[in-house]
Amino acid sequence: MTAVTTRPVTPTRRSRHRDSPRVRRLAAERGVELRAVIGTGPAGRVTTDDLTRHVSRPGAATPASRTTTGVAFVEVDVSRLPSHGTHALLAVVGRAVVDVGRRLGAACAAGGIGLEREDGAVVRVADAAYLTDEGLERRLDDVGRASPEGDPPRVAVAHGHGTTMVWAPLGPGEEVRFVLGVVVERPVVVHDDDGAPLIAVRPLVQVTVTHDAAAVDAAQAARWLVAVRDKIEQRAAGAHGTSA
Amino acid sequence: MAQLSYRDAVARGIAQEMRRDERVVLVGEDVAGAGGVFKTTVGLLDEFGPKRVIDTPIAEQAILGAAMGAAMTGLRPVAEIMFSDFFAVCWDIVVNQIAKTRYMTAGQVTLPLVIKTGNGGGLRFGAQHSQSIENWAMAVPGLKVVTPSTPEDVVGLMAAAIREDDPVIFCEHKGLYSSKAEVPDGDVVDQLGTAKIRRKGADATVVALGMMVGRALEAAQHLAQRGISVEVVDARSLVPLDTRTILGSVSKTGRLFTVEENPQLLGWGAEIAALAADECFWDLDGPVQRITTPHIPLPSADSLEDLVMPSVEGVASTVEKALQS
């Protein structure tokens, strides 16, 4: 009789890019290390169903409770934006958040976005990436419109209900939340054509970001926030209509 | 609501707009007395008379030159190029004149002009009378390009094209002329730049155009029996393109296929594939696949034409294989 040796079955990965972008995004969003998932797809590819099975398998580690860290804020000069209405500002910031998030490769930015309307209700917009600022603003104004069904958005843009700066905890399922303070006119230093400093009065908005460190780390959140500010200020300076 | 053939829908759409606006005129070879070589303009001469429904010599450049001049001086002409293949003999006026006039006059001169044309294969008309030329037209800034797949869309998109202030290339699929479907009573006016989801699905998005829409739908039906749920998007308008509907569907299903009646090289599907890669890469669950004709002229022999055109079976097996690999 021959001895039977059993070898542990170790899932192996054949190449870096065998798993689809969608699967890699979902794994990143759910905090799953793809190497640990047994793929049942063709050639051992991990499918979306495999991921779901993996996270719901008996004994699977429950995701650690969210540690919200890193509250960062920037001041955004909105003097050249056409409107300072809450919905107009939410739309401009919302569009910038989605565009920048996608450009930075933030997995959570690939899905929809949740926007807090002036009355506090949250509007979910699945296709924010394809709307204009005005289109997004119309979604906020459209009281009767139902939000699309599906997973709650991982990215939220809210406002401070008239306050200047807010530290806002993340809502359920959220990974990053941007909050706009109220528009405040302040004296700021600007430079004239010759580079000489002057005091000018400018409308400013404080934008705060709160993030789940497991999904969006502090450096990424900071880059995201700064790029959102830059995008809004650049567009205000004349780069109209660039939303790509 | 009445059953209407695709060919009758063409005449209905034009008549609807001619009744509404006396500036709308129709010019082309055999469009008046003969009611169109494909019978798409039957009855228009009787209703609107020879000043508004005008037969021309066999000279495509002359047809489009006349139509362009008419559009520049206040009319809203519909011109017919009988077979879309013959755009090739009038590209100078289409590309260098019609498409560019608004731009070169800084918007002072618009060209509200529809060029309707019999397009597409499947009728054994051979290499010079079967091509799908949307790709040629799409490449020219200043032209809008639509291809309806149902009688209702023919009426509605024709109305939208005639009301448009820019030139529109209106591709009628010759293989669909005899197809019939319900068209609502009264005026039907659609919107350029909008796609339609013809069938909802969860596993794959198939974007099709013209006669390929029906084949994609049939393939989706077969695949449903095999447990694969396919969403079929009728692109309808290539310029402008309804990216929101198309990308929304791809984001949902994760897989994208195009079904095109043209060679793959620089086909419209290449543009949509590039768009998906740009805009929803992280939603893609596999490579985009384009189902097209091979890079050859369309043959006239029945068996060969059937072989090269995307078929129901071809679409179904390509989608199924791709989802399994």
Side-chain angles (χ1 to χ4, degrees):
Chain A
M1 196 173 178
T2 49
V4 178
T5 53
T6 52
R7 273 189 291 178
V9 180
T10 321
T12 53
R13 320 296 307 152
R14 205 171 53 189
S15 79
R16 274 177 65 214
H17 293 301
R18 228 160 30 115
D19 300 309
S20 74
R22 189 186 189 87
V23 163
R24 285 190 278 151
R25 170 172 67 77
L26 291 172
E29 284 172 7
R30 295 171 189 182
V32 172
E33 175 56 60
L34 273 172
R35 257 185 288 261
V37 184
I38 295 168
T40 64
R45 267 196 338 147
V46 174
T47 65
T48 51
D49 288 345
D50 294 334
L51 271 183
T52 308
R53 268 194 295 275
H54 182 82
V55 292
S56 56
R57 72 196 188 283
T62 341
S65 61
R66 286 172 182 278
T67 17
T68 302
T69 59
V71 184
F73 79 94
V74 290
E75 281 184 332
V76 184
D77 180 346
V78 294
S79 54
R80 309 274 286 274
L81 288 183
S83 166
H84 293 163
T86 307
H87 286 182
L89 287 175
L90 279 167
V92 170
V93 174
R95 285 284 305 132
V97 161
V98 170
D99 285 346
V100 170
R102 289 166 79 100
R103 199 175 71 227
L104 293 178
C108 51
I113 185 171
L115 292 163
E116 184 189 16
R117 243 179 9 211
E118 196 151 26
D119 60 8
V122 175
V123 179
R124 283 154 52 178
V125 184
D127 53 355
Y130 313 128
L131 299 177
T132 59
D133 293 350
E134 295 74 21
L136 196 53
E137 188 182 343
R138 274 195 292 278
R139 294 283 178 92
L140 282 164
D141 291 339
D142 194 353
V143 179
R145 193 184 178 101
S147 291
E149 292 176 5
D151 295 335
R154 298 180 156 79
V155 181
V157 179
H159 59 91
H161 298 274
T163 60
T164 314
M165 192 170 95
V166 173
W167 176 88
L170 294 167
E174 280 174 19
E175 293 175 8
V176 60
R177 168 174 277 256
F178 294 81
V179 186
L180 284 64
V182 73
V183 178
V184 180
E185 290 189 321
R186 287 182 201 279
V188 295
V189 176
V190 296
H191 293 88
D192 69 12
D193 293 344
D194 300 325
L198 298 169
I199 302 283
V201 176
R202 288 285 164 84
L204 300 177
V205 170
Q206 312 263 12
V207 182
T208 317
V209 64
T210 316
H211 59 96
D212 172 2
V216 177
D217 68 28
Q220 193 178 23
R223 277 198 301 274
W224 196 342
L225 185 59
V226 167
V228 164
R229 178 198 63 195
D230 291 350
K231 188 172 170 73
I232 292 168
E233 292 187 347
Q234 269 168 28
R235 103 182 257 115
H240 292 296
T242 51
S243 60
Chain B
M1 189 81 97
Q3 285 269 324
L4 199 65
S5 73
Y6 188 100
R7 80 171 80 246
D8 292 340
V10 176
R12 176 164 153 193
I14 297 170
Q16 174 188 304
E17 294 307 298
M18 289 183 83
R19 283 178 205 127
R20 187 186 62 87
D21 185 345
E22 63 179 14
R23 296 170 299 171
V24 180
V25 298
L26 174 66
V27 291
E29 295 160 16
D30 285 329
V31 297
V37 76
F38 296 116
K39 299 293 173 200
T40 60
T41 55
V42 172
L44 297 179
L45 176 66
D46 291 345
E47 181 172 352
F48 302 103
K51 281 194 170 165
R52 295 181 68 193
V53 182
I54 303 157
D55 275 330
T56 66
I58 303 180
E60 283 79 8
Q61 291 131 304
I63 296 170
L64 294 187
M68 178 183 169
M72 289 176 91
T73 49
L75 297 181
R76 302 182 77 88
V78 178
E80 180 177 286
I81 296 296
M82 190 187 290
F83 285 88
S84 62
D85 312 71
F86 303 146
F87 268 100
V89 301
C90 39
W91 273 131
D92 181 53
I93 195 155
V94 175
V95 175
N96 286 322
Q97 309 300 334
I98 289 171
K100 295 182 173 60
T101 297
R102 182 168 186 169
Y103 175 80
M104 292 178 67
T105 61
Q108 296 177 85
V109 179
T110 54
L111 282 186
L113 165 61
V114 178
I115 309 176
K116 75 187 269 308
T117 188
N119 191 52
L123 296 175
R124 323 313 188 195
F125 282 170
Q128 298 166 319
H129 295 77
S130 301
Q131 295 166 89
S132 292
I133 60 93
E134 290 95 344
N135 303 337
W136 301 354
M138 276 174 78
V140 183
L143 298 179
K144 295 182 173 164
V145 185
V146 297
T147 301
S149 74
T150 68
E152 181 178 350
D153 283 4
V154 168
V155 180
L157 289 173
M158 178 62 85
I162 291 173
R163 295 179 188 196
E164 174 67 36
D165 279 340
D166 288 315
V168 178
I169 309 290
F170 190 91
C171 299
E172 299 158 12
H173 200 294
K174 299 194 292 288
L176 293 175
Y177 276 141
S178 58
S179 64
K180 281 191 174 181
E182 301 268 308
V183 178
D185 298 330
D187 281 6
V188 180
V189 184
D190 210 319
Q191 206 186 338
L192 303 182
T194 53
K196 274 190 184 167
I197 294 177
R198 297 284 182 200
R199 181 192 174 103
K200 289 245 172 218
D203 299 331
T205 297
V206 174
V207 182
L209 186 72
M211 192 166 76
M212 296 299 109
V213 175
R215 295 189 181 182
L217 283 168
E218 224 180 301
Q221 221 166 359
H222 287 304
L223 288 167
Q225 288 160 8
R226 302 176 65 82
I228 297 170
S229 161
V230 172
E231 183 144 305
V232 177
V233 180
D234 180 352
R236 306 200 315 154
S237 171
L238 292 173
V239 183
L241 184 69
D242 184 355
T243 56
R244 191 168 144 194
T245 298
I246 293 170
L247 294 177
S249 176
V250 176
S251 291
K252 183 178 77 172
T253 65
R255 295 303 295 258
L256 170 62
F257 300 83
T258 62
V259 188
E260 304 167 62
E261 208 185 307
N262 45 253
Q264 195 167 83
L265 191 69
L266 298 179
W268 54 262
E271 191 52 41
I272 292 180
L275 191 71
D278 284 346
E279 299 286 342
C280 52
F281 179 78
W282 295 105
D283 293 327
L284 286 174
D285 202 21
V288 178
Q289 263 187 276
R290 292 172 285 153
I291 303 162
T292 67
T293 64
H295 203 70
I296 56 168
L298 280 180
S300 48
D302 299 13
S303 56
L304 292 178
E305 190 178 35
D306 290 342
L307 189 68
V308 301
M309 298 258 284
S311 63
V312 172
E313 299 72 29
V315 173
S317 69
T318 305
V319 172
E320 187 170 9
K321 266 187 215 153
L323 291 184
Q324 289 167 352
S325 60

CSV table of all heavy atoms in Angstrom, one decimal, chain B residues 60-99:
chain,number,residue,atom,x,y,z
B,60,GLU,N,-25.8,62.2,-58.2
B,60,GLU,CA,-25.9,62.4,-56.8
B,60,GLU,C,-25.3,63.8,-56.4
B,60,GLU,O,-25.9,64.4,-55.4
B,60,GLU,CB,-25.1,61.3,-56.1
B,60,GLU,CG,-25.8,60.0,-56.0
B,60,GLU,CD,-25.8,59.2,-57.3
B,60,GLU,OE1,-25.1,59.6,-58.2
B,60,GLU,OE2,-26.5,58.2,-57.3
B,61,GLN,N,-24.3,64.2,-57.0
B,61,GLN,CA,-23.7,65.6,-56.7
B,61,GLN,C,-24.7,66.7,-56.9
B,61,GLN,O,-24.9,67.6,-56.1
B,61,GLN,CB,-22.4,65.9,-57.5
B,61,GLN,CG,-21.3,65.0,-57.1
B,61,GLN,CD,-20.6,64.3,-58.3
B,61,GLN,OE1,-21.3,63.7,-59.1
B,61,GLN,NE2,-19.3,64.5,-58.4
B,62,ALA,N,-25.5,66.5,-58.0
B,62,ALA,CA,-26.5,67.6,-58.3
B,62,ALA,C,-27.6,67.5,-57.3
B,62,ALA,O,-28.1,68.6,-56.9
B,62,ALA,CB,-27.0,67.3,-59.7
B,63,ILE,N,-28.0,66.3,-56.9
B,63,ILE,CA,-29.1,66.3,-55.9
B,63,ILE,C,-28.7,67.0,-54.6
B,63,ILE,O,-29.4,67.8,-54.1
B,63,ILE,CB,-29.4,64.8,-55.5
B,63,ILE,CG1,-29.9,64.0,-56.8
B,63,ILE,CG2,-30.3,64.7,-54.4
B,63,ILE,CD1,-30.0,62.5,-56.6
B,64,LEU,N,-27.4,66.7,-54.2
B,64,LEU,CA,-27.0,67.3,-52.9
B,64,LEU,C,-26.7,68.7,-53.1
B,64,LEU,O,-26.9,69.5,-52.1
B,64,LEU,CB,-25.9,66.5,-52.3
B,64,LEU,CG,-26.2,65.1,-51.9
B,64,LEU,CD1,-25.1,64.4,-51.1
B,64,LEU,CD2,-27.5,65.0,-51.0
B,65,GLY,N,-26.1,69.1,-54.2
B,65,GLY,CA,-25.9,70.5,-54.5
B,65,GLY,C,-27.2,71.3,-54.4
B,65,GLY,O,-27.2,72.4,-53.8
B,66,ALA,N,-28.2,70.8,-55.1
B,66,ALA,CA,-29.5,71.5,-55.1
B,66,ALA,C,-30.0,71.6,-53.7
B,66,ALA,O,-30.5,72.6,-53.3
B,66,ALA,CB,-30.4,70.8,-56.0
B,67,ALA,N,-29.9,70.5,-53.0
B,67,ALA,CA,-30.5,70.5,-51.6
B,67,ALA,C,-29.7,71.4,-50.7
B,67,ALA,O,-30.3,72.1,-49.9
B,67,ALA,CB,-30.4,69.0,-51.1
B,68,MET,N,-28.4,71.5,-50.9
B,68,MET,CA,-27.6,72.4,-50.1
B,68,MET,C,-28.0,73.8,-50.3
B,68,MET,O,-28.2,74.6,-49.4
B,68,MET,CB,-26.2,72.2,-50.3
B,68,MET,CG,-25.3,73.1,-49.5
B,68,MET,SD,-23.5,72.9,-49.9
B,68,MET,CE,-22.9,74.3,-49.1
B,69,GLY,N,-28.1,74.2,-51.6
B,69,GLY,CA,-28.5,75.5,-52.0
B,69,GLY,C,-29.9,75.9,-51.4
B,69,GLY,O,-30.1,77.0,-50.9
B,70,ALA,N,-30.8,74.9,-51.5
B,70,ALA,CA,-32.2,75.1,-51.0
B,70,ALA,C,-32.1,75.4,-49.5
B,70,ALA,O,-32.8,76.3,-49.0
B,70,ALA,CB,-33.1,73.9,-51.3
B,71,ALA,N,-31.3,74.6,-48.8
B,71,ALA,CA,-31.2,74.7,-47.3
B,71,ALA,C,-30.6,76.1,-47.0
B,71,ALA,O,-31.0,76.7,-46.0
B,71,ALA,CB,-30.4,73.6,-46.8
B,72,MET,N,-29.6,76.5,-47.8
B,72,MET,CA,-29.0,77.8,-47.5
B,72,MET,C,-29.9,79.0,-47.7
B,72,MET,O,-29.7,80.0,-47.1
B,72,MET,CB,-27.7,78.0,-48.4
B,72,MET,CG,-26.6,77.1,-48.1
B,72,MET,SD,-25.2,77.3,-49.3
B,72,MET,CE,-24.3,78.6,-48.4
B,73,THR,N,-30.9,78.8,-48.5
B,73,THR,CA,-31.8,79.9,-48.9
B,73,THR,C,-33.2,79.8,-48.3
B,73,THR,O,-34.1,80.4,-48.8
B,73,THR,CB,-31.9,80.0,-50.4
B,73,THR,OG1,-32.2,78.8,-51.0
B,73,THR,CG2,-30.6,80.6,-51.0
B,74,GLY,N,-33.3,78.9,-47.2
B,74,GLY,CA,-34.5,79.0,-46.4
B,74,GLY,C,-35.4,77.8,-46.5
B,74,GLY,O,-36.4,77.7,-45.7
B,75,LEU,N,-35.1,76.8,-47.3
B,75,LEU,CA,-36.0,75.6,-47.3
B,75,LEU,C,-35.4,74.6,-46.3
B,75,LEU,O,-34.3,74.8,-45.8
B,75,LEU,CB,-36.1,75.0,-48.7
B,75,LEU,CG,-36.8,75.9,-49.8
B,75,LEU,CD1,-36.9,75.2,-51.1
B,75,LEU,CD2,-38.2,76.3,-49.3
B,76,ARG,N,-36.1,73.6,-46.1
B,76,ARG,CA,-35.6,72.5,-45.2
B,76,ARG,C,-35.8,71.2,-46.0
B,76,ARG,O,-36.7,70.4,-45.8
B,76,ARG,CB,-36.4,72.4,-43.9
B,76,ARG,CG,-36.4,73.7,-43.1
B,76,ARG,CD,-37.1,73.6,-41.8
B,76,ARG,NE,-36.4,72.9,-40.8
B,76,ARG,CZ,-35.5,73.5,-40.0
B,76,ARG,NH1,-35.3,74.8,-40.1
B,76,ARG,NH2,-34.8,72.8,-39.1
B,77,PRO,N,-34.8,70.9,-46.9
B,77,PRO,CA,-35.0,69.8,-47.9
B,77,PRO,C,-34.6,68.5,-47.2
B,77,PRO,O,-33.8,68.3,-46.3
B,77,PRO,CB,-34.0,70.1,-49.0
B,77,PRO,CG,-33.2,71.3,-48.5
B,77,PRO,CD,-33.6,71.7,-47.2
B,78,VAL,N,-35.3,67.5,-47.8
B,78,VAL,CA,-35.0,66.1,-47.6
B,78,VAL,C,-34.5,65.6,-48.9
B,78,VAL,O,-35.2,65.6,-49.9
B,78,VAL,CB,-36.1,65.2,-47.1
B,78,VAL,CG1,-35.7,63.8,-46.9
B,78,VAL,CG2,-36.7,65.8,-45.8
B,79,ALA,N,-33.2,65.1,-49.0
B,79,ALA,CA,-32.7,64.6,-50.3
B,79,ALA,C,-32.4,63.2,-50.1
B,79,ALA,O,-32.0,62.7,-49.1
B,79,ALA,CB,-31.4,65.4,-50.6
B,80,GLU,N,-32.7,62.4,-51.2
B,80,GLU,CA,-32.4,61.0,-51.2
B,80,GLU,C,-31.2,60.6,-52.0
B,80,GLU,O,-31.1,61.0,-53.2
B,80,GLU,CB,-33.6,60.2,-51.7
B,80,GLU,CG,-33.4,58.7,-51.6
B,80,GLU,CD,-34.5,57.8,-52.0
B,80,GLU,OE1,-35.5,57.7,-51.2
B,80,GLU,OE2,-34.5,57.2,-53.1
B,81,ILE,N,-30.3,59.9,-51.4
B,81,ILE,CA,-29.3,59.2,-52.1
B,81,ILE,C,-29.8,57.7,-52.1
B,81,ILE,O,-29.8,57.1,-51.0
B,81,ILE,CB,-27.9,59.3,-51.4
B,81,ILE,CG1,-27.4,60.8,-51.4
B,81,ILE,CG2,-26.9,58.4,-52.1
B,81,ILE,CD1,-27.2,61.4,-52.8
B,82,MET,N,-30.1,57.2,-53.3
B,82,MET,CA,-30.9,55.9,-53.3
B,82,MET,C,-30.2,54.8,-52.6
B,82,MET,O,-30.8,54.1,-51.8
B,82,MET,CB,-31.1,55.6,-54.8
B,82,MET,CG,-32.1,54.4,-55.0
B,82,MET,SD,-32.1,54.0,-56.8
B,82,MET,CE,-32.9,55.4,-57.5
B,83,PHE,N,-28.9,54.6,-52.9
B,83,PHE,CA,-28.1,53.6,-52.2
B,83,PHE,C,-27.0,54.4,-51.5
B,83,PHE,O,-26.3,55.2,-52.1
B,83,PHE,CB,-27.5,52.6,-53.2
B,83,PHE,CG,-28.5,51.6,-53.8
B,83,PHE,CD1,-29.2,51.9,-54.9
B,83,PHE,CD2,-28.6,50.4,-53.1
B,83,PHE,CE1,-30.1,51.0,-55.4
B,83,PHE,CE2,-29.5,49.5,-53.7
B,83,PHE,CZ,-30.3,49.8,-54.8
B,84,SER,N,-26.8,54.1,-50.2
B,84,SER,CA,-25.8,54.8,-49.4
B,84,SER,C,-24.4,54.7,-50.0
B,84,SER,O,-23.6,55.5,-49.8
B,84,SER,CB,-25.9,54.4,-48.0
B,84,SER,OG,-25.5,53.0,-47.9
B,85,ASP,N,-24.2,53.6,-50.7
B,85,ASP,CA,-22.9,53.3,-51.3
B,85,ASP,C,-22.5,54.5,-52.2
B,85,ASP,O,-21.3,54.8,-52.4
B,85,ASP,CB,-22.9,52.1,-52.2
B,85,ASP,CG,-23.6,50.9,-51.5
B,85,ASP,OD1,-24.8,50.9,-51.3
B,85,ASP,OD2,-22.8,50.0,-51.1
B,86,PHE,N,-23.5,55.2,-52.8
B,86,PHE,CA,-23.2,56.3,-53.7
B,86,PHE,C,-22.8,57.6,-53.0
B,86,PHE,O,-22.6,58.6,-53.7
B,86,PHE,CB,-24.3,56.5,-54.7
B,86,PHE,CG,-24.6,55.3,-55.5
B,86,PHE,CD1,-25.9,54.9,-55.9
B,86,PHE,CD2,-23.6,54.3,-55.8
B,86,PHE,CE1,-26.2,53.8,-56.5
B,86,PHE,CE2,-23.9,53.2,-56.4
B,86,PHE,CZ,-25.2,52.9,-56.8
B,87,PHE,N,-22.8,57.6,-51.7
B,87,PHE,CA,-22.2,58.7,-51.0
B,87,PHE,C,-20.8,58.9,-51.5
B,87,PHE,O,-20.2,60.0,-51.5
B,87,PHE,CB,-22.2,58.5,-49.5
B,87,PHE,CG,-23.4,59.1,-48.8
B,87,PHE,CD1,-24.5,58.3,-48.4
B,87,PHE,CD2,-23.5,60.5,-48.5
B,87,PHE,CE1,-25.6,58.8,-47.8
B,87,PHE,CE2,-24.6,61.0,-47.9
B,87,PHE,CZ,-25.6,60.2,-47.6
B,88,ALA,N,-20.2,57.8,-51.9
B,88,ALA,CA,-18.8,57.9,-52.3
B,88,ALA,C,-18.6,58.8,-53.5
B,88,ALA,O,-17.5,59.4,-53.6
B,88,ALA,CB,-18.3,56.4,-52.6
B,89,VAL,N,-19.6,59.0,-54.3
B,89,VAL,CA,-19.4,59.9,-55.4
B,89,VAL,C,-19.8,61.3,-55.1
B,89,VAL,O,-19.6,62.2,-55.9
B,89,VAL,CB,-20.3,59.5,-56.7
B,89,VAL,CG1,-19.9,58.1,-57.2
B,89,VAL,CG2,-21.8,59.6,-56.4
B,90,CYS,N,-20.3,61.5,-53.9
B,90,CYS,CA,-20.6,62.9,-53.5
B,90,CYS,C,-20.0,63.4,-52.2
B,90,CYS,O,-20.5,64.3,-51.5
B,90,CYS,CB,-22.1,63.2,-53.6
B,90,CYS,SG,-23.1,61.9,-52.9
B,91,TRP,N,-18.9,62.8,-51.8
B,91,TRP,CA,-18.3,63.2,-50.6
B,91,TRP,C,-17.8,64.6,-50.6
B,91,TRP,O,-17.8,65.3,-49.5
B,91,TRP,CB,-17.1,62.3,-50.2
B,91,TRP,CG,-17.5,61.0,-49.4
B,91,TRP,CD1,-17.2,59.8,-49.7
B,91,TRP,CD2,-18.4,60.9,-48.3
B,91,TRP,NE1,-17.7,58.9,-48.8
B,91,TRP,CE2,-18.5,59.6,-48.0
B,91,TRP,CE3,-19.1,61.9,-47.6
B,91,TRP,CZ2,-19.3,59.1,-46.9
B,91,TRP,CZ3,-19.9,61.4,-46.5
B,91,TRP,CH2,-20.0,60.1,-46.2
B,92,ASP,N,-17.4,65.1,-51.7
B,92,ASP,CA,-16.8,66.5,-51.6
B,92,ASP,C,-17.9,67.4,-51.1
B,92,ASP,O,-17.7,68.2,-50.2
B,92,ASP,CB,-16.3,66.9,-53.0
B,92,ASP,CG,-15.8,68.4,-52.9
B,92,ASP,OD1,-14.9,68.6,-52.0
B,92,ASP,OD2,-16.2,69.2,-53.6
B,93,ILE,N,-19.1,67.3,-51.7
B,93,ILE,CA,-20.1,68.3,-51.3
B,93,ILE,C,-20.6,68.0,-49.9
B,93,ILE,O,-20.9,68.9,-49.1
B,93,ILE,CB,-21.3,68.3,-52.3
B,93,ILE,CG1,-22.1,69.6,-52.1
B,93,ILE,CG2,-22.1,67.1,-52.3
B,93,ILE,CD1,-22.9,70.1,-53.3
B,94,VAL,N,-20.6,66.7,-49.5
B,94,VAL,CA,-21.1,66.3,-48.2
B,94,VAL,C,-20.0,66.8,-47.1
B,94,VAL,O,-20.3,67.4,-46.1
B,94,VAL,CB,-21.4,64.8,-48.0
B,94,VAL,CG1,-21.7,64.5,-46.6
B,94,VAL,CG2,-22.5,64.4,-48.9
B,95,VAL,N,-18.8,66.4,-47.4
B,95,VAL,CA,-17.7,66.6,-46.4
B,95,VAL,C,-17.2,68.0,-46.4
B,95,VAL,O,-17.1,68.7,-45.3
B,95,VAL,CB,-16.6,65.6,-46.6
B,95,VAL,CG1,-15.4,65.9,-45.6
B,95,VAL,CG2,-17.1,64.2,-46.5
B,96,ASN,N,-16.9,68.6,-47.5
B,96,ASN,CA,-16.3,69.9,-47.6
B,96,ASN,C,-17.3,71.0,-47.6
B,96,ASN,O,-16.9,72.2,-47.3
B,96,ASN,CB,-15.4,70.0,-48.8
B,96,ASN,CG,-14.1,69.2,-48.5
B,96,ASN,OD1,-13.6,69.1,-47.4
B,96,ASN,ND2,-13.6,68.5,-49.5
B,97,GLN,N,-18.5,70.8,-48.1
B,97,GLN,CA,-19.5,71.9,-48.2
B,97,GLN,C,-20.5,71.8,-47.1
B,97,GLN,O,-20.6,72.6,-46.2
B,97,GLN,CB,-20.1,71.9,-49.6
B,97,GLN,CG,-19.1,71.9,-50.7
B,97,GLN,CD,-18.1,73.0,-50.7
B,97,GLN,OE1,-18.4,74.1,-50.2
B,97,GLN,NE2,-17.0,72.8,-51.3
B,98,ILE,N,-21.3,70.7,-47.2
B,98,ILE,CA,-22.5,70.6,-46.3
B,98,ILE,C,-22.1,70.6,-44.8
B,98,ILE,O,-22.6,71.3,-44.0
B,98,ILE,CB,-23.4,69.4,-46.7
B,98,ILE,CG1,-24.0,69.6,-48.0
B,98,ILE,CG2,-24.4,69.0,-45.6
B,98,ILE,CD1,-24.7,68.4,-48.6
B,99,ALA,N,-21.1,69.7,-44.5
B,99,ALA,CA,-20.7,69.6,-43.1
B,99,ALA,C,-20.1,70.8,-42.5
B,99,ALA,O,-20.0,71.0,-41.3
B,99,ALA,CB,-19.8,68.3,-43.0
